Amino acid sequence: MKCNRLDAVLLGLLGLVLVSGCMVPQARLSSCQQRERALSEQCRAQVAEIDNLKVHNRNIEDKLLKAEEDLALLEEQVGLDRQQLANYESEHGRLHAHFRRLLGGQSPLPAEVSQRLAELSKRYPSIQFDPVTGIGKLDTDIVFDTGEAQLKSGGEQLLNELVAILNRPEAADLKIMVVGHTDDRQVAKRPAREKFPNNFHLSTARAHAVADRLLHSGLATTRLGVAGFGAHQPVAPNVSARDRQKNRRVEIFVMNRDVPVVGWTESTPTLYR
């Protein structure tokens, strides 16, 4: 070490002076000794600082490697999300075309019901209605607060009017399935997270809130079903706030009684023979 060599040189010079018989004043000798000790301490401090910098450098390198690994995993996940979305869009397009071929471009619902639902979606921008499939999609950011499953007042009025349409005589044979979806982010706020530990809980709770309002407005219990898919059926990649908003949705399927739905005994009677 450089510090040890410096100590040896200073001590050697001091010894040479003593051996040669030269008399050095005590004050000067003490000053040299103090300076030698100060230089030694400074050298040791610098060596310790260099060692600390080496450790810090290794920690920075480890963090950089970890960040590069995380980035690679994120890029891989985004690629998988995009592929899943592409597959979903392809399947959606295929089913949509299949519906059109089967129905000759006509709605599966009675004409008057389809027309009234289309008019409802024009009055309320928070609901979209597809006359080909009979699917209505609610914008959950409008009818629910973030991380909550309690309907806002505007959402209640919309659902009241929806039930009024579904309770008309021409819609009496239709059944309704309410399905909740979320984006891929977990519930962040603590009070909400205690009620909804994961997105399955939140999506199902929102579907239940919509279903409860439909029942409260007079829809028969026997016509209604509820499901929640959490974040596992996205309609857009979860890579931007706008896309995540698209994935946060509650869908209302209005169907004829003969449309097969798993668990609905009247539409799948062969399963229970």
Side-chain angles (χ1 to χ4, degrees):
M1 299 291 293
K2 291 183 178 180
C3 290
N4 293 335
R5 288 199 296 272
L6 178 61
D7 293 345
V9 170
L10 291 174
L11 290 175
L13 290 174
L14 181 60
L16 180 62
V17 170
L18 294 175
V19 171
S20 63
C22 296
M23 299 300 295
V24 179
Q26 183 65 35
R28 187 175 179 183
L29 177 61
S30 296
S31 176
C32 289
Q33 290 174 336
Q34 290 176 0
R35 185 178 179 185
E36 183 272 334
R37 285 193 294 270
L39 288 173
S40 296
E41 291 176 0
Q42 183 179 0
C43 184
R44 285 191 290 270
Q46 290 177 344
V47 170
E49 184 178 358
I50 290 172
D51 290 339
N52 290 335
L53 288 173
K54 288 179 179 179
V55 172
H56 181 68
N57 184 58
R58 286 194 296 270
N59 290 337
I60 293 296
E61 290 177 348
D62 291 341
K63 290 180 179 180
L64 179 60
L65 290 174
K66 181 64 167 57
E68 291 175 347
E69 292 175 357
D70 291 344
L71 178 59
L73 290 174
L74 180 60
E75 290 176 345
E76 180 181 357
Q77 183 61 48
V78 169
L80 291 175
D81 285 345
R82 287 175 177 167
Q83 183 60 48
Q84 183 181 10
L85 177 61
N87 294 338
Y88 176 85
E89 289 176 341
S90 176
E91 181 66 12
H92 180 269
R94 187 186 67 79
L95 292 175
H96 203 274
H98 181 62
F99 265 113
R100 286 189 178 276
R101 287 194 300 270
L102 289 177
L103 302 171
Q106 301 298 316
S107 172
L109 308 178
E112 187 172 349
V113 174
S114 183
Q115 180 181 350
R116 291 181 180 276
L117 290 175
E119 292 172 352
L120 180 67
S121 68
K122 291 179 181 178
R123 293 199 307 274
Y124 291 93
S126 59
I127 186 171
Q128 300 175 27
F129 173 66
D130 181 2
V132 175
T133 59
I135 299 173
K137 183 179 76 67
L138 291 176
D139 185 340
T140 55
D141 283 354
I142 294 176
V143 295
F144 294 102
D145 288 323
T146 301
E148 294 296 334
Q150 183 174 356
L151 280 171
K152 297 181 181 180
S153 58
E156 293 177 352
Q157 178 60 33
L158 185 160
L159 296 176
N160 288 343
E161 294 190 33
L162 175 61
V163 171
I165 296 172
L166 296 175
N167 280 343
R168 293 180 64 86
E170 59 270 19
D173 289 335
L174 300 178
K175 57 188 179 183
I176 295 87
M177 175 67 76
V178 182
V179 182
H181 303 269
T182 69
D183 59 27
D184 66 343
R185 292 191 169 181
Q186 294 299 316
V187 181
K189 296 181 180 179
R190 183 177 297 277
R193 191 169 63 247
E194 291 174 352
K195 291 190 293 184
F196 314 116
N198 58 51
N199 281 324
F200 274 118
H201 286 259
L202 179 58
S203 66
T204 306
R206 284 180 167 174
H208 273 289
V210 171
D212 285 345
R213 189 64 204 183
L214 296 177
L215 295 174
H216 179 78
S217 299
L219 188 70
T221 306
T222 55
R223 300 176 63 190
L224 187 63
V226 176
F229 285 93
H232 300 291
Q233 297 297 323
V235 294
N238 285 292
V239 294
S240 70
R242 184 174 182 179
D243 286 340
R244 285 191 291 272
Q245 182 180 1
K246 294 178 182 178
N247 292 328
R248 296 191 295 268
R249 65 198 192 278
V250 175
E251 294 170 334
I252 301 175
F253 294 79
V254 181
M255 303 168 290
N256 289 312
R257 288 185 179 273
D258 58 352
V259 174
V261 177
V262 173
W264 219 309
T265 56
E266 64 185 23
S267 65
T268 53
T270 58
L271 290 178
Y272 306 100
R273 291 178 179 174

